[in-house]
Amino acid sequence: IMARQRGGGDPSSQYDTGVMNPAPLPAPLSARIRMAARDEENNPVTFRLNRVVAWLEGTARAQLQRESGGMLGNGGGGGVFGDSLGAVDDFATNECVWRETGNALNASATTDGRGATLTKHLDPDGPTRTASALHPTNADSEERLCAAVWRLVRGGMVDAARDLCVRAGQPWRAASLGGA
């Protein structure tokens, strides 16, 4: 990166050389390239750590690519990552809304069917705060969603993880991943 900057600057920026670039790269990539070059020069440890993170994300993304049968691409209607994410994309719309837990509460159930106390609070922190359980169906779908979201985030696909959370009926989880 430093050699490229010494040889004429960042190819996505007209400001490094003063020469207008006829085909600039998108702004986020340009900013990422400049930050990496700055870190390489001023803080080589941070630069190396960023390289390791990028390698780990690439490895996880390649695993998702293999599992999805090559359908994880750079196109399609679902944003940057296409419409299909293979094994992590098999959630029905609003599957993780906790309907069964709500129905069980309406029926005055006190246990979850596995012997644990059924939660009486359906807010996102309710089961954890009260040390109680969701209905088994909701608990299973919650576990699957968390595993799928983790795999996407580990692969550097935070936007796809946020989209999955919204589609599965947990927009609060998407907001916690994106900060807003």
Side-chain angles (χ1 to χ4, degrees), residues 98-131:
W98 301 353
R99 252 184 220 106
E100 290 81 7
T101 303
N103 292 339
L105 287 174
N106 288 339
S108 301
T110 57
T111 62
D112 69 348
R114 295 177 181 169
T117 304
L118 189 66
T119 187
K120 292 179 176 33
H121 304 279
L122 294 180
D123 61 283
D125 295 328
T128 304
R129 186 179 64 247
T130 60

Side-chain angles (χ1 to χ4, degrees), residues 13-86:
S13 174
Q14 65 180 352
Y15 303 108
D16 290 341
T17 62
V19 177
M20 185 70 153
N21 188 346
L25 296 174
L29 182 59
S30 173
R32 190 169 186 175
I33 289 171
R34 283 195 298 273
M35 286 174 31
R38 182 197 66 215
D39 288 344
E40 183 179 21
E41 187 174 306
N42 297 330
N43 192 346
V45 174
T46 303
F47 177 75
R48 287 188 198 111
L49 290 174
N50 285 334
R51 299 269 315 259
V52 169
V53 168
W55 174 74
L56 289 170
E57 287 177 349
T59 303
R61 188 183 310 224
Q63 177 67 28
L64 284 172
Q65 176 85 27
R66 284 190 297 274
E67 290 175 4
S68 67
M71 294 188 67
L72 185 66
N74 291 330
V80 177
F81 303 105
D83 285 329
S84 177
L85 294 171

Side-chain angles (χ1 to χ4, degrees), residues 2 22-25 36 52 56 66 97 107 128 153 156 158 161 166-167 175 177 180:
M2 288 177 59
L25 296 174
V52 169
L56 289 170
R66 284 190 297 274
V97 175
T128 304
V153 169
V158 178
V166 169
R167 196 171 55 251
L177 287 172

Side-chain angles (χ1 to χ4, degrees), residues 87-174:
V88 298
D89 199 30
D90 60 349
F91 287 88
T93 302
N94 293 328
E95 180 177 337
C96 298
V97 175
W98 301 353
R99 252 184 220 106
E100 290 81 7
T101 303
N103 292 339
L105 287 174
N106 288 339
S108 301
T110 57
T111 62
D112 69 348
R114 295 177 181 169
T117 304
L118 189 66
T119 187
K120 292 179 176 33
H121 304 279
L122 294 180
D123 61 283
D125 295 328
T128 304
R129 186 179 64 247
T130 60
S132 52
L134 294 170
H135 186 277
T137 304
N138 295 143
D140 293 343
S141 61
E142 181 90 1
E143 185 177 326
R144 283 183 39 244
L145 178 66
C146 288
V149 166
W150 168 246
R151 293 182 70 207
L152 290 170
V153 169
R154 198 175 78 190
M157 298 181 280
V158 178
D159 289 336
R162 291 180 71 194
D163 291 343
L164 179 62
C165 289
V166 169
R167 196 171 55 251
Q170 293 193 354
W172 58 268
R173 191 178 301 274

